[in-house]
């Protein structure tokens, strides 16, 4: 029922358990309360480490040549006076972040000075500024808040001096522009930086580049059958092959299609493949590269219950980078238990990522898809009311920003 991703029992797991145990109403409520308490305690007391490396996917597949490339990078002699910088580029959903996390885990022993991971949100409407990123990484490097200089150039200088004296790896995920990352590049010394970006960042000099390509068909099949686990045996191999082919080696599409099959045991791979072909014709508003992925999203969106769909598409207007069940309940106009179930289901389907402390977030392509659904499915008046609700919620929660300005809705 659960696949080891959420940090507490899912609400629907607990209610299913209560049903199975045929608990009386009182005992049932108690169980649900206890389970929720457990989750909340976990959410509120787990302080996320600064710049911690995210968890590794447990079914990492392929990418042997790319892993070798990064290993070589680590052992490469840097140009005199400069650390080594690697840049992984590729379209959204190609697996850049996953690869960077994987190599950082594998190479951790080579970096006794620490491994630091920063998401720069370069493709979002609200990218991290270099100054904010520097403050975060300086804190992770042990600098006290009051010792962090106000000025970007000074922060960068403290950062470079700290990196010079140790051997650390800094992963800068989702870089949006050259200006954003330049102050975060190391100076001389043995520390290294690995950047991922959708754009080529052609203006960065002295960087070693790796363009990430789609997975090969055998790798795609391996990933898909891995996600399907035992149920792969019940589908015809030719249908799985067709599905893998339709995803064109895009890991995100494979992940979402795989999760979709797992979550609906009644669906045959062949039937899903046929629908995928049909849906592609409908989704031509997406650019060619994103089409596979949009189609995969559609397949999952389509099967959601109304409340989960509503929560999903409406979360696209939330200006922050992540959100919790309480805010999901506000946007979806549902009780928080329902929001919780919806979020659990969305995570199961790969449409949302669950982060630390009970917070959830979109992959940026998924957010784009959710926004398209919102614009198509809800009237301007509904969207305005939604934006007002979110703004009111965030204002009450201590945020000060204009939803309308940031989301363009
Ligand atoms: N090599 C891989 N093995 C297994 N799953 C992968 C691999 N690469 C990517 N994925 C899956 O595809 C999804 C999208 O990958 P991600 O790294 O987020 O792409 P990008 O950063 O290029 O947008 C991830 O959530 C992960 O589940
Ligand atoms: Mg990424």
């Amino acid at each position: 029922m659960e696949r080891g991703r959420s940090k507490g029992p899912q609400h629907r797991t607990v209610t299913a358990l209560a049903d199975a145990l045929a608990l009386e109403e009182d005992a049932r409520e108690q169980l649900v309360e206890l389970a929720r308490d457990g989750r909340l305690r976990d959410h509120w007391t787990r302080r996320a480490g600064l710049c911690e490396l995210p968890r590794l996917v447990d079914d990492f597949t392929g990418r042997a040549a790319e892993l070798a490339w990064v290993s070589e990078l680590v052992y490469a002699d840097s140009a005199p006076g400069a650390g080594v910088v690697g840049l992984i580029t590729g379209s959204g959903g190609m697996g850049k972040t996953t690869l960077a996390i994987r190599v950082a885990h594998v190479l951790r022993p080579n970096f006794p000075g620490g491994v630091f991971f920063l998401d720069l949100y370069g493709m979002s409407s609200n990218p991290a500024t270099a100054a904010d990123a520097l403050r975060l990484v300086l804190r992770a490097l042990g600098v006290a808040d009051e010792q962090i200089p106000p000025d970007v150039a000074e922060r960068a200088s403290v950062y470079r001096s700290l990196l010079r004296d140790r051997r650390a790896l800094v992963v800068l995920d989702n870089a949006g522009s050259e200006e954003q990352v330049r102050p975060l590049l190391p100076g001389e010394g043995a520390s290294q930086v690995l950047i991922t970006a959708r754009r080529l960042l052609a203006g960065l000099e002295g960087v070693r580049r790796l363009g990430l390509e789609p997975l090969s068909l055998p790798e795609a099949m391996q990933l898909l059958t891995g996600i399907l686990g035992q149920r792969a045996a019940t589908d015809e191999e030719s249908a799985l092959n067709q599905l893998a082919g339709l995803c064109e080696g895009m890991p995100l599409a494979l992940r979402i299609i795989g999760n979709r099959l797992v979550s609906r045991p009644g669906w045959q791979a062949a039937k899903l493949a046929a629908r995928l072909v049909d849906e592609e014709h409908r989704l031509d508003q997406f650019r060619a590269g994103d089409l596979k992925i949009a189609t995969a999203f559609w397949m999952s969106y389509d099967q959601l219950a109304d409340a989960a769909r509503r929560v999903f598409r409406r979360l696209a207007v939330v200006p922050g980078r992540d959100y919790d069940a309480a805010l999901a309940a506000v946007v979806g106009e549902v009780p928080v238990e329902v929001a919780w179930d919806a979020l659990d289901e969305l995570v199961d389907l790969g449409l949302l990522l669950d982060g630390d402390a009970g917070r959830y977030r979109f992959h940026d392509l998924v957010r784009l898809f959710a926004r398209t659904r919102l614009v198509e499915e809800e009237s301007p008046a509904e969207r305005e009311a939604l934006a007002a609700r979110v703004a009111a919620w965030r204002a009450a929660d201590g945020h000060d920003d204009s939803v309308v300005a940031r989301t363009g809705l």
Side-chain angles (χ1 to χ4, degrees):
M1 183 173 329
E2 294 193 21
R3 290 194 285 284
R5 275 189 295 269
S6 44
K7 292 167 210 78
Q10 297 182 352
H11 182 63
R12 64 168 185 262
T13 309
V14 176
T15 45
L17 187 62
D19 290 343
L21 294 171
L23 292 180
E24 298 288 332
E25 203 47 42
D26 275 1
R28 182 189 176 88
E29 261 172 34
Q30 219 178 355
L31 176 68
V32 171
E33 280 302 308
L34 279 173
R36 191 173 311 143
D37 269 7
R39 283 174 67 129
L40 290 176
R41 201 172 321 111
D42 186 38
H43 291 166
W44 285 337
T45 56
R46 243 175 118 248
R47 186 174 177 277
L50 288 174
C51 301
E52 273 291 311
L53 205 49
R55 322 191 260 288
L56 203 62
V57 290
D58 47 20
D59 56 358
F60 186 86
T61 307
R63 303 297 192 203
E66 289 81 0
L67 290 168
W69 178 87
V70 187
S71 300
E72 268 170 36
L73 185 78
V74 167
Y75 296 109
D77 288 334
S78 49
V84 172
V85 178
L87 171 61
I88 302 172
T89 56
S91 49
M94 193 60 87
K96 302 177 295 294
T97 302
T98 307
L99 176 66
I101 293 171
R102 167 80 174 189
V103 300
H105 277 281
V106 171
L107 295 174
R108 200 194 272 277
N110 293 284
F111 293 98
V115 172
F116 303 90
F117 182 94
L118 280 94
D119 192 340
L120 299 179
Y121 299 95
M123 287 291 129
S124 82
S125 55
N126 188 18
T129 62
D132 284 346
L134 278 165
R135 183 177 46 216
L136 193 63
V137 72
L138 286 177
R139 289 178 60 203
L141 283 159
V143 182
D145 267 339
E146 56 278 12
Q147 312 258 287
I148 296 178
D151 177 73
V152 186
E154 286 175 40
R155 283 184 192 177
S157 152
V158 176
Y159 167 77
R160 281 196 301 272
S161 73
L162 287 171
L163 288 192
R164 190 190 52 222
D165 298 336
R166 59 166 87 193
R167 183 165 166 78
L169 174 65
V170 180
V171 179
L172 302 174
D173 193 31
N174 287 321
S177 68
E178 288 88 341
E179 298 72 56
Q180 191 189 29
V181 288
R182 246 190 214 109
L184 288 150
L185 301 184
E188 58 190 45
S191 289
Q192 301 195 348
V193 166
L194 186 61
I195 306 170
T196 79
R198 222 61 90 83
R199 297 184 43 225
L200 285 176
L201 305 184
L204 289 183
E205 302 92 29
V207 166
R208 296 175 194 230
R209 297 168 173 278
L210 173 73
L212 206 52
E213 300 288 328
L215 296 174
S216 66
L217 189 58
E219 284 171 340
M221 265 300 272
Q222 193 188 333
L223 179 54
L224 190 59
T225 49
I227 294 168
L228 294 183
Q230 289 185 335
R231 86 148 269 176
T234 66
D235 285 299
E236 283 176 26
E237 197 179 332
S238 63
L240 293 180
N241 246 311
Q242 193 194 356
L243 264 187
L246 283 167
C247 293
E248 291 185 352
M250 295 294 285
L252 183 57
L254 288 158
R255 170 75 63 202
I256 287 183
I257 287 296
N259 288 356
R260 167 76 168 79
L261 270 176
V262 172
S263 73
R264 284 294 181 277
W267 271 72
Q268 293 303 312
K271 194 166 152 201
L272 190 59
R275 279 209 46 199
L276 206 52
V277 173
D278 274 357
E279 291 297 343
E280 275 191 9
H281 301 302
R282 283 183 1 90
L283 292 168
D284 51 5
Q285 75 267 34
F286 283 87
R287 286 180 298 115
D290 295 341
L291 179 64
K292 294 291 154 197
I293 289 186
T295 314
F297 296 162
W298 182 264
M299 296 281 108
S300 288
Y301 180 70
D302 205 26
Q303 72 159 31
L304 294 170
D306 279 350
R309 263 191 218 210
R310 196 163 66 237
V311 166
F312 172 75
R313 64 176 178 261
R314 289 182 174 184
L315 282 170
V317 306
V318 173
R321 286 159 187 160
D322 54 13
Y323 27 79
D324 59 10
L327 182 51
V330 169
V331 303
E333 296 175 284
V334 290
V336 73
E337 287 78 13
V338 175
W340 233 325
D341 283 350
L343 292 168
D344 283 340
E345 188 176 6
L346 291 165
V347 170
D348 274 354
L349 285 169
L351 288 174
L352 288 185
L353 303 164
D354 59 343
D356 288 317
R359 302 191 70 82
Y360 300 79
R361 61 190 176 85
F362 283 113
H363 186 283
D364 48 5
L365 284 182
V366 181
R367 178 180 225 133
L368 201 66
F369 173 78
R371 182 177 300 190
T372 316
R373 297 317 324 142
L374 182 71
V375 171
E376 289 203 356
E377 294 179 34
E378 305 211 20
S379 69
E382 279 170 325
R383 286 178 347 235
E384 242 167 64
L386 168 64
R389 258 198 334 274
V390 175
W393 165 267
R394 285 175 57 87
D397 206 29
H399 293 278
D400 166 29
D401 51 18
S402 155
V403 178
V404 177
R406 287 183 188 221
T407 60
L409 282 167

